[in-house]
Structures are given as structure tokens and as C-alpha cells.
Amino acid sequence: MKQLSASGAIGLLLTMLIIALLFIMLMPSIKNSGGTNLNVSPIKHETLEDEINQKLNEIQNMRNQSIQPIVN
């Protein structure tokens, strides 16, 4: 039977192990660098919601004021 050299397979396995270790070590930094993370968003949703409600109330008041003279 012919003996085969295992150095190619061992080198391939070591390379895959090194790549897997690098991936595991760098995974937290890759996960945190995404721009779609809403929990870290600089926009405060409550403040934005309050501003929108205030603008809607102003528009409703202006609409009511413009309709009142027509009705009277």
C-alpha cells in the first residue's frame, strides 16, 4: 500500500482552525459595528413622539380656527 503525506491535510486543518479562532475573536466587534442597531440610536423616540404630537395639535388648532369664522 502506498503511504500518503498528511502534511497538506494537517496544514489545511490548522489554517481552518486559525480562521475560526480569528472569526470568534472578531465577532463582537463586527456585531457592534452595524448601523442598524436601534438600541444605540442617537434619536430619542419619546422626544420625537412628543414633538410630532405637538405639531399635530398645532395643525388641528389652526384648522379649527380657520373653520370657525366660516361657521359663525
Side-chain angles (χ1 to χ4, degrees), residues 37-63:
N37 193 355
L38 295 176
N39 294 331
V40 189
S41 176
I43 299 173
K44 296 187 178 184
H45 297 287
E46 293 83 17
T47 306
L48 184 62
E49 186 177 345
D50 290 340
E51 284 185 36
I52 292 171
N53 286 334
Q54 182 182 2
K55 294 293 180 187
L56 286 173
N57 286 335
E58 289 176 8
I59 292 171
Q60 187 67 31
N61 288 337
M62 288 176 15
R63 183 180 296 157

Side-chain angles (χ1 to χ4, degrees), residues 8-72:
I10 292 174
L12 180 66
L13 288 175
L14 285 175
T15 304
M16 289 174 59
L17 177 67
I18 291 170
I19 291 172
L21 288 174
L22 285 173
F23 180 74
I24 290 170
M25 288 184 347
L26 295 175
M27 190 62 189
S29 64
I30 292 171
K31 190 166 76 170
N32 291 337
S33 67
T36 59
N37 193 355
L38 295 176
N39 294 331
V40 189
S41 176
I43 299 173
K44 296 187 178 184
H45 297 287
E46 293 83 17
T47 306
L48 184 62
E49 186 177 345
D50 290 340
E51 284 185 36
I52 292 171
N53 286 334
Q54 182 182 2
K55 294 293 180 187
L56 286 173
N57 286 335
E58 289 176 8
I59 292 171
Q60 187 67 31
N61 288 337
M62 288 176 15
R63 183 180 296 157
N64 289 338
Q65 288 174 1
S66 67
I67 292 175
Q68 276 180 342
I70 296 173
V71 173
N72 291 334

